[in-house]
Amino acid sequence: REIELIYVRKGSLKMQVTNHAFTANAGDLVICDTGEIHYSNSYSKGTVMDFIIFDTSLIGSHYQNRAFAKPVLTADELRDSGLDTLLFDLEKTLDKELDERSEYYQEIVRANLRNFWYRLLRVMPIDENPGLMKNRRITMLGDFQNLLSFMEEHSSENITLEEAANMMHFSP
């Protein structure tokens, strides 16, 4: 039950988040909500990304997966919504507070994460057919569990990328 925010600071990378395949470019923010399987492959060695990973309990005890229509906000969308500035402020605050660990740092971190998350929810389009997405996610999680079980059972064997990708219904 965690959320991963990936900010592409420099370069670009191919990504897949559940059933959405796309290229994330410099300035884009990728949102991997809880239960979403994601994969990335950098185009260049110069790609730089910032990661913020947090437990959903930090943004509220009644957290619910929102079934976003897409898992990425482009650099333009971030800028137009004003979230770019909030994201930079969040990163600076997290770095400072987690480094210094002064009194009430946990509350400050939690408050800043909540502020950013709920402002993000205002601009993120919601999937009009969340049942379909939920079914795909359940299927993918089941495939992933099967792959992990297969790997555990056959750990002494040479398991190829092609075999693993085939079990997940992915291309290598």
Side-chain angles (χ1 to χ4, degrees):
R1 290 185 44 91
E2 59 187 26
I3 295 168
E4 187 170 338
L5 303 176
I6 305 166
Y7 179 73
V8 183
R9 188 164 295 284
K10 180 181 169 190
S12 61
L13 63 152
K14 287 192 234 178
M15 291 205 69
Q16 180 157 349
V17 179
T18 309
N19 64 331
H20 296 277
F22 56 95
T23 298
N25 298 301
D28 292 351
L29 177 67
V30 180
I31 301 100
C32 301
D33 210 343
T34 186
E36 291 182 328
I37 297 172
H38 55 285
Y39 163 82
S40 65
N41 184 7
S42 176
Y43 279 145
S44 67
K45 292 181 182 177
T47 299
V48 177
M49 298 171 286
D50 296 337
F51 293 83
I52 299 174
I53 303 170
F54 59 94
D55 188 284
T56 58
S57 66
L58 291 175
I59 55 173
S61 58
H62 301 292
Y63 167 79
Q64 291 182 353
N65 186 297
R66 293 293 299 250
F68 297 132
K70 62 179 187 151
V72 63
L73 277 181
T74 65
D76 290 340
E77 292 169 327
L78 274 173
R79 186 186 60 252
D80 292 347
S81 66
L83 286 174
D84 58 344
T85 304
L86 278 177
L87 180 61
F88 299 140
D89 290 345
L90 173 64
E91 287 183 323
K92 284 193 304 190
T93 300
L94 291 177
D95 285 344
K96 179 181 183 291
E97 294 298 330
L98 293 173
D99 184 47
E100 295 175 3
R101 296 185 185 261
S102 299
E103 189 173 17
Y104 303 113
Y105 81 94
Q106 292 172 321
E107 287 76 12
I108 292 169
V109 165
R110 183 177 291 117
N112 279 270
L113 279 171
R114 281 183 176 176
N115 182 47
F116 182 79
W117 181 253
Y118 290 116
R119 290 178 185 272
L120 177 71
L121 292 181
R122 286 181 173 174
V123 300
M124 284 298 292
I126 302 300
D127 189 350
E128 297 299 323
N129 191 354
L132 179 61
M133 180 65 141
K134 184 177 180 182
N135 289 339
R136 286 182 185 156
R137 185 175 300 130
I138 289 168
T139 299
M140 188 173 283
L141 287 172
D143 290 344
F144 189 61
Q145 184 59 51
N146 290 338
L147 174 61
L148 292 176
S149 296
F150 179 82
M151 291 171 65
E152 187 175 316
E153 291 170 16
H154 299 90
S155 60
S156 63
E157 299 172 24
N158 183 18
I159 302 168
T160 67
L161 173 62
E162 288 75 16
E163 288 174 305
N166 188 43
M167 291 183 77
M168 288 296 300
H169 308 288
F170 288 160
S171 68

